[in-house]
Every structure is written in structure tokens, then in C-alpha cells.
């Protein structure tokens, strides 16, 4: 029984007339017993050593094409309690950054990583592991105007957490609109809430006209911030969803889901 195979060809321009500063990301020229020629073929004003090369995180080709930069250049990051990674876009506008966290044996820890959009071209990724250990952080992104469901991979880090906060809690679940409208949760910063308890909600966004906890409107206290105290449902097993509306919406009552909290 024969198997019909299909081959698809795509054109990639990353390796054509590539800037040497980008090419050194995943290509280290090496001529045996000729270190001077090896350095020359890097085509860099200041050639890097093999040790420096091995200590630099390797990003996907699309990351360079889009001009995506990361605050951390090392492939292995050692940290205590909480890690902040800044993602900056310089060429192609990015409408979504997605971060996933797994243990070294591939158990999902996505509840302990959150992504916030600080400005049009800056994203912040927060990692707050539940226990010390080794984790794999994968960051993917989607360019503006991309209507497909895929989110291309940008970079992968190995994280080594040496210490944790004693009261580590899940981050609130976020919807895509939270990044689109640069919404930041100021309070509460954890996902699970107690039933029948008064909880103060405080959020910020430069683009929304109104914010709601379910159908309850939050008070706008300045140009970018909303807050209010909400009594959570009496029974566990429910959810609370934060919604927002934009000034440009054709239907001002059409609410966009932003964040979701659990009632335990």
C-alpha cells in the first residue's frame, strides 16, 4: 500500500542578504584551526566568541523578520519568585503575544504565566511558578491583520526558579481583547476568589469607554482607571467575567470579555 505524500514549497527571505547582526542568532561560522577567518566570516564589527554565542537565546527566523526584541538574551534564566520579560516590536505591528509555561516533563503551568500589553509596541510577560524547579517558557506572536488561527513561535527559554512566594496564586484568565485594548488588572491579581465576599476590582486601559464586572458597571476614577467593590456569588463553581466597551463601537452595549475569575 503506497502512501501519497504532499510537498509544499514556501519562499523564505531571512537568509538572503541577511544583516550579520541577525544572522549570528543561529549561525556561527567556524573554520577548523583558523579562528581569524572564522571571525572574519561573521561580518561583524565586533565578532562574538563561541562562549558568547552559546549564551545567547536562539529565536525563530520570523522573530527577526518582524523586529521582535526581548529583554532577556540568555537562553537559560535563573530567577527567584517572579520573572518579568519585556517584548518589544520594532518593524511589524503585533496584535497578540501568547506565552505558555510547562514543567520539564511537559505538565502545563499556563495558570502561572500572564501577558499584559503595556503600550502599542510593548508587552510584559509575568511568570510566577508554584514551586522551585525547571520550566520551559514558549513565546508566540501574531501580526496585525492575520486572520488565521495559528500563532507562530518566536522564542523558547529554559527557566530555573530557585525560590517562590509562599502564597503563589493563579493569574486571572485573559481573553484576546485584554491585549488588544491594553487592559491591565491592578486588583485582584489572582484568579480564584472566595464566595460571598467583597472584592475590590481595579483595572486600567487607555482605549475603553466602560468596564463591567458581569452587568455591574465599574466607576471611572481617572482617564485610564476603573474600580469598584463587588460582592462575589454565594456559591462556589461560578465565574466572574470582566467586560469592556469601546467609544467607537457601533453598538455601545456590545461588551468585550477581558478577564475571567473563578469562585471557589
Amino acid at each position: 500500500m503506497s502512501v501519497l505524500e504532499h510537498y509544499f514549497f514556501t519562499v523564505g527571505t531571512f537568509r538572503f542578504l541577511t544583516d550579520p547582526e541577525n544572522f549570528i542568532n543561529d549561525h556561527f561560522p567556524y573554520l577548523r584551526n583558523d579562528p581569524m577567518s572564522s571571525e572574519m566570516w561573521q561580518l561583524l564589527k565586533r565578532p562574538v566568541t563561541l562562549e558568547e554565542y552559546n549564551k545567547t537565546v536562539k529565536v525563530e527566523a520570523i522573530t527577526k523578520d518582524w523586529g521582535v526584541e526581548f529583554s532577556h538574551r540568555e537562553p537559560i534564566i535563573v530567577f527567584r519568585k517572579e520573572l518579568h520579560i519585556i517584548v518589544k516590536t520594532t518593524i511589524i505591528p503585533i496584535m497578540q503575544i501568547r506565552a505558555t509555561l510547562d514543567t520539564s516533563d511537559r505538565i502545563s503551568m499556563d495558570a502561572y504565566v500572564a501577558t499584559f500589553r503595556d503600550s502599542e509596541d510593548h508587552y510584559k510577560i509575568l511568570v510566577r511558578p508554584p514551586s522551585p524547579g525547571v520550566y520551559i517558557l514558549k513565546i508566540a506572536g501574531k501580526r496585525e491583520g492575520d486572520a488565521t488561527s495559528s500563532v507562530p513561535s518566536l522564542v523558547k527559554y529554559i527557566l530555573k526558579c530557585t525560590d517562590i512566594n509562599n502564597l503563589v496564586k493563579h493569574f486571572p484568565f485573559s481573553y484576546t481583547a485584554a491585549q488588544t485594548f491594553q487592559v491591565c488588572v491592578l486588583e485582584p491579581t489572582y484568579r480564584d476568589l472566595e464566595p460571598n465576599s467583597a472584592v475590590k476590582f481595579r483595572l486600567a486601559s487607555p482605549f475603553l469607554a466602560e468596564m463591567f464586572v458581569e452587568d455591574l458597571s465599574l466607576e471611572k476614577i481617572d482617564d485610564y482607571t476603573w474600580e469598584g467593590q463587588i460582592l462575589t456569588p454565594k456559591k462556589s463553581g461560578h465565574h466572574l467575567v470582566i467586560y469592556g466597551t469601546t467609544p467607537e463601537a457601533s453598538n455601545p452595549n456590545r461588551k468585550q470579555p477581558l478577564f475571567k475569575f473563578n469562585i471557589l
Side-chain angles (χ1 to χ4, degrees):
M1 178 177 176
S2 62
V3 178
L4 182 62
E5 295 183 347
H6 297 275
Y7 295 91
F8 299 91
F9 297 92
T10 59
V11 176
T13 60
F14 177 73
R15 299 188 185 279
F16 178 71
L17 299 179
T18 307
D19 186 332
E21 293 285 350
N22 294 338
F23 204 67
I24 196 64
N25 167 71
D26 62 356
H27 181 78
F28 186 85
Y30 176 73
L31 299 177
R32 184 174 296 179
N33 300 324
D34 193 351
M36 291 187 63
S37 295
S38 298
E39 289 188 352
M40 178 187 71
W41 280 107
Q42 292 182 24
L43 305 178
L44 296 172
K45 292 181 179 179
R46 191 193 74 81
V48 302
T49 65
L50 182 58
E51 182 181 9
E52 291 173 322
Y53 176 81
N54 288 331
K55 288 183 178 180
T56 303
V57 66
K58 306 303 181 286
V59 300
E60 301 293 338
I62 199 173
T63 306
K64 293 294 185 179
D65 289 341
W66 291 0
V68 182
E69 300 176 354
F70 303 93
S71 57
H72 291 65
R73 293 181 56 84
E74 62 274 25
I76 301 175
I77 304 175
V78 181
F79 68 100
R80 297 178 63 250
K81 298 184 178 181
E82 187 169 289
L83 172 67
H84 295 196
I85 294 180
I86 304 299
V87 182
K88 180 182 179 181
T89 62
T90 61
I91 300 176
I92 301 296
I94 305 297
M95 72 175 188
Q96 180 185 4
I97 290 291
R98 178 183 298 173
T100 59
L101 186 70
D102 297 293
T103 62
S104 55
D105 50 357
R106 298 184 179 181
I107 297 176
S108 176
M109 292 285 154
D110 289 350
Y112 299 96
V113 60
T115 304
F116 300 100
R117 190 175 188 178
D118 289 337
S119 64
E120 185 176 348
D121 58 357
H122 279 77
Y123 291 81
K124 180 167 64 177
I125 297 172
L126 275 62
V127 182
R128 193 188 295 160
S131 60
V134 177
Y135 298 86
I136 308 298
L137 175 67
K138 297 179 181 179
I139 302 175
K142 195 170 187 178
R143 62 186 296 174
E144 284 189 2
D146 185 353
T148 64
S149 59
S150 63
V151 184
S153 175
L154 299 176
V155 70
K156 180 175 73 173
Y157 289 98
I158 297 175
L159 308 183
K160 292 185 177 181
C161 178
T162 60
D163 189 19
I164 62 167
N165 289 313
N166 292 329
L167 299 176
V168 171
K169 297 183 178 181
H170 298 175
F171 288 108
F173 175 83
S174 63
Y175 295 89
T176 302
Q179 285 193 25
T180 303
F181 301 117
Q182 299 177 24
V183 185
C184 182
V185 178
L186 303 175
E187 294 182 73
T189 58
Y190 45 88
R191 181 181 303 185
D192 301 325
L193 306 177
E194 294 291 332
N196 197 31
S197 60
V199 177
K200 181 180 180 180
F201 287 85
R202 190 162 63 95
L203 301 99
S205 169
F207 298 110
L208 293 178
E210 294 180 287
M211 283 200 199
F212 304 84
V213 179
E214 296 295 344
D215 294 325
L216 300 175
S217 177
L218 295 176
E219 180 184 359
K220 191 171 186 178
I221 61 174
D222 59 38
D223 289 342
Y224 303 111
T225 310
W226 287 259
E227 69 175 35
Q229 188 161 289
I230 304 296
L231 185 65
T232 61
K234 295 182 179 180
K235 295 183 179 180
S236 60
H238 292 270
H239 304 285
L240 282 181
V241 178
I242 307 290
Y243 295 92
T245 62
T246 63
E248 299 81 11
S250 56
N251 178 3
N253 294 320
R254 184 173 181 270
K255 298 186 293 186
Q256 297 271 4
L258 303 172
F259 297 97
K260 182 170 68 174
F261 297 83
N262 299 330
I263 308 302
L264 295 184

